[in-house]
Amino acid sequence: MAFGIVWMSCQAVMPAVLGRAIDLGVADKDQQQLLLWAGVMLMIGLLQAVTGIMRHRFAVTNWLTASYRIVQLTTRQSVRLGGSLPRKVSTGEVIAIGTTDLDHIGNVMDVTARFAGAIVSFFLVSAILLSTSVQLGLVVLIGVPLLLLVMGPLLKPLQARSAVERQMRSDLSNTGTDIVGGLRVLRGIGGEGVFLDRYRRESQATRTAAVNVAKLQSVLDALQVFLPGVFVVLVVWLGARSAVAGEISAGELVAFYGYSAFLMLPLRTATEFANKLIRGRVAASRVCRVMALEPDVVEPASPAAVPAPDSELHDARSGLRVRPGLLTAIVSDQPDDSALLADRLGLCAAEQDDEVHLGGTPLTSLRHADVRERIMVSDTGAALFAGRLADRIDERGTGDVEKALFTASAEDILEALPEGLESVVTEKGRSFSGGQRQRLVLARALAADPEILVLVEPTSAVDAHTEARIADRLRAHRAGRTTVVTTVSPLLLDAVDEVAFLVDGRVVAVGTHTDLLSKVAAYRRVVVRDVEAAV
């Protein structure tokens, strides 16, 4: 802003210096004065050039810094919210922040330096004109605010239309993301045409909203040229009348013309600032809404001491006790109940309470980083990130990748890839089938080797032979470590140490798979039904 003020002030005083050079040098035929004022003009021009370059450099820096800081803040907030993010805000909303909102906010930072210079130069020119001609000075002081007031009524409707268009753009991004994410399913059920029509309707509605914004924008842009042009003509006409009447000199007339031409710049800058500020405020409000979100579970004000290793994990609400070092299965006729319990065990549920304890200490009283270090939950919605396959499986860089792939029965996936572990995973692992992705996600969880691993339906998308191999290898891989699996698969249940049978969110029976089959009829119905469904 400082460079912008000096840069535009140099342009503001240039007509006055030019007028002095004409009056004292040309009109009076004084070569010394002409050289003096020409030198002053040269110094002012050099100062203007230097400050103009610096203003532009800082403006671009501020623009890029603001834009990418928005990306950084949004990314940190996304990480902070964790699993709470998709429950509180749509994917399209976050995408829109990183594609359009950051540009609008950056544009405000870019134009601010020029706007500061426009304000200062406007008052500077007004003061010079008042000292020369009260009439012209008053015309400038009163006329410029009137021009801005004329354009004022357009700004509020433009802001409203921009907000509507921004929301529709976000909704359209959501629809596009859903279609791309579920394209295989849509092709399987023949629903491509339905969703194509839906996307086309939303796209046309968004286009109409953008055209409505453009209509007002075009009027505003036209007024940015027309009104300052009329104002310049008025100032030149008044100046010419004063020169003909002998009230001002020839140099002052030239200076007035220079001021008239110069005033186009601050006027257009002011309207440009108002336009970009409106768009920036709409974008900023969206960003602020995301930044104001709070995670479902907040960090404790006074974290408790970390429990000793190999502590028991206990959920008082359901009655589940996970004994250390064992492979425990949770069975329920309602998969959502077992999945919710798994989330609660890892401090990932939307409504977390103090009823889940690790070694007698509530998980909510521990630092989240400590909980994440000790307990890992891998559910069916877990996605593969893009990048080198070896890095995507061993995110921490300390795991045994080959052993994890063997346990997840994923050797065939590796053999089918020409570059093996050096292969690049596409976005969300879309180049793999559903079963392949599930095995790679399982391998990633195993490579992390947490003290307590909670797996939600880890074999739901694989065939029976692959599931049998995983069940056999999982027991050996996690020997001596605490593992919880939610499943109704007899192949996995045969391999576990203990089974907890869940009914309406409560554990009603605990024992081995064989014992529960023979003693608990409800358990037998759930497991046998799953076998019959598979057949």
Side-chain angles (χ1 to χ4, degrees):
M1 290 173 69
F3 281 116
I5 290 171
V6 175
W7 168 69
M8 202 166 282
S9 296
C10 288
Q11 298 180 68
V13 300
M14 191 67 79
V17 176
L18 178 60
R20 299 291 291 177
I22 292 175
D23 285 340
L24 300 179
V26 178
D28 294 347
K29 298 181 180 180
D30 189 333
Q31 187 176 5
Q32 187 175 359
Q33 285 292 319
L34 181 60
L35 291 174
L36 172 63
W37 288 105
V40 172
M41 290 179 63
L42 175 62
M43 297 303 297
I44 294 176
L46 292 174
L47 180 60
Q48 177 185 340
V50 173
T51 54
I53 292 171
M54 297 305 296
R55 178 207 60 79
H56 182 70
R57 287 178 60 88
F58 278 107
V60 173
T61 300
N62 290 337
W63 173 32
L64 295 176
T65 300
S67 298
Y68 289 104
R69 189 157 293 165
I70 291 296
V71 174
Q72 291 176 335
L73 290 173
T74 306
T75 303
R76 291 172 188 169
Q77 175 71 343
S78 300
V79 173
R80 175 173 172 265
L81 292 172
S84 306
L85 179 65
R87 291 192 286 266
K88 294 177 178 291
V89 66
S90 65
T91 302
E93 187 74 8
V94 180
I95 291 175
I97 290 175
T99 54
T100 57
D101 290 344
L102 61 85
D103 282 337
H104 293 319
I105 294 172
N107 287 336
V108 176
M109 298 300 297
D110 171 52
V111 76
T112 299
R114 287 184 286 121
F115 178 67
I119 295 298
V120 173
S121 63
F122 163 70
F123 286 108
L124 181 59
V125 169
S126 300
I128 295 174
L129 288 177
L130 279 172
S131 65
T132 307
S133 171
V134 176
Q135 181 188 34
L136 290 175
L138 291 176
V139 167
V140 172
L141 280 174
I142 298 173
V144 172
L146 284 177
L147 292 180
L148 296 179
L149 287 176
V150 169
M151 290 182 285
L154 293 175
L155 300 181
K156 190 172 182 180
L158 180 61
Q159 182 173 354
R161 293 188 184 186
S162 297
V164 171
E165 189 260 348
R166 167 62 175 77
Q167 180 61 48
M168 296 181 72
R169 191 190 298 263
S170 174
D171 294 340
L172 185 64
S173 296
N174 281 334
T175 303
T177 302
D178 292 342
I179 291 174
V180 172
L183 189 57
R184 288 184 178 179
V185 177
L186 291 176
R187 285 176 174 171
I189 63 176
E192 297 162 277
V194 175
F195 274 81
L196 175 61
D197 291 340
R198 175 186 169 189
Y199 185 85
R200 182 177 287 120
R201 287 194 303 270
E202 292 186 12
S203 176
Q204 290 303 311
T206 304
R207 173 180 173 273
T208 302
V211 169
N212 289 335
V213 173
K215 288 178 180 177
L216 276 182
Q217 183 66 55
S218 63
V219 174
L220 187 62
D221 290 343
L223 290 177
Q224 282 180 320
V225 177
F226 176 72
L227 293 180
V230 172
F231 184 72
V232 167
V233 171
L234 176 62
V235 173
V236 171
W237 180 69
L238 292 175
R241 282 173 57 98
S242 298
V244 170
E247 298 173 359
I248 59 176
S249 64
E252 290 172 332
L253 176 61
V254 173
F256 279 139
Y257 178 77
Y259 293 137
S260 302
F262 167 75
L263 284 173
M264 292 277 291
L265 181 59
L267 285 174
R268 295 194 63 177
T269 301
T271 51
E272 179 188 358
F273 176 79
N275 182 22
K276 290 184 175 180
L277 182 63
I278 288 172
R279 292 176 175 268
R281 285 190 61 186
V282 173
S285 65
R286 295 282 184 175
V287 176
C288 288
R289 273 197 284 273
V290 173
M291 297 304 297
L293 297 175
E294 290 294 332
D296 295 323
V297 183
V298 297
E299 288 279 358
S302 300
V306 180
D310 297 326
S311 297
E312 182 182 75
L313 185 62
H314 171 56
D315 177 36
R317 179 189 294 184
S318 65
L320 176 69
R321 290 187 178 274
V322 181
R323 292 189 289 166
L326 298 184
L327 176 56
T328 304
I330 301 174
V331 176
S332 173
D333 63 340
Q334 298 295 328
D336 289 345
D337 290 347
S338 56
L340 175 60
L341 178 55
D343 284 342
R344 286 169 48 77
L345 295 178
L347 203 64
C348 301
E351 297 179 0
Q352 195 78 33
D353 49 38
D354 298 332
E355 297 187 66
V356 182
H357 297 77
L358 180 63
T361 304
L363 291 184
T364 52
S365 66
L366 297 172
R367 292 175 59 248
H368 291 181
D370 293 333
V371 176
R372 301 286 179 261
E373 183 69 24
R374 302 281 293 273
I375 306 172
M376 173 181 286
V377 179
S378 179
D379 60 24
T380 54
L384 284 173
F385 296 106
R388 180 172 167 265
L389 179 59
D391 296 333
R392 297 291 73 84
I393 294 177
D394 185 15
E395 295 284 355
R396 299 180 178 179
T398 58
D400 190 336
V401 176
E402 293 185 0
K403 183 180 179 182
L405 288 170
F406 174 77
T407 302
S409 190
E411 312 99 301
D412 60 313
I413 303 175
L414 200 61
E415 292 171 359
L417 297 173
E419 299 180 14
L421 289 173
E422 299 297 320
S423 301
V424 176
V425 179
T426 57
E427 182 188 4
K428 294 185 178 181
R430 290 198 176 97
S431 57
F432 300 111
S433 67
Q436 289 175 328
R437 281 200 304 272
Q438 188 175 57
R439 284 183 283 162
L440 291 174
V441 167
L442 174 59
R444 180 178 63 187
L446 294 171
D449 195 28
E451 178 185 330
I452 301 174
L453 177 59
V454 182
L455 301 172
V456 179
E457 300 290 349
T459 58
S460 59
V462 301
D463 59 76
H465 296 291
T466 304
E467 187 176 28
R469 288 195 298 270
I470 292 175
D472 181 58
R473 297 171 183 178
L474 179 63
R475 183 181 180 86
H477 186 105
R478 293 289 296 175
R481 307 286 273 175
T482 306
T483 308
V484 180
V485 180
T486 71
T487 184
V488 291
S489 167
L491 292 172
L492 273 178
L493 294 174
D494 273 334
V496 304
D497 299 306
E498 190 171 75
V499 178
F501 182 44
L502 204 66
V503 177
D504 295 330
R506 296 284 302 175
V507 176
V508 297
V510 178
T512 64
H513 173 55
T514 304
D515 289 342
L516 293 181
L517 274 178
S518 61
K519 298 177 181 178
V520 183
Y523 176 83
R524 185 167 54 253
R525 282 195 297 271
V526 172
V527 176
V528 172
R529 182 181 64 188
D530 183 70
V531 173
E532 292 175 347
V535 174

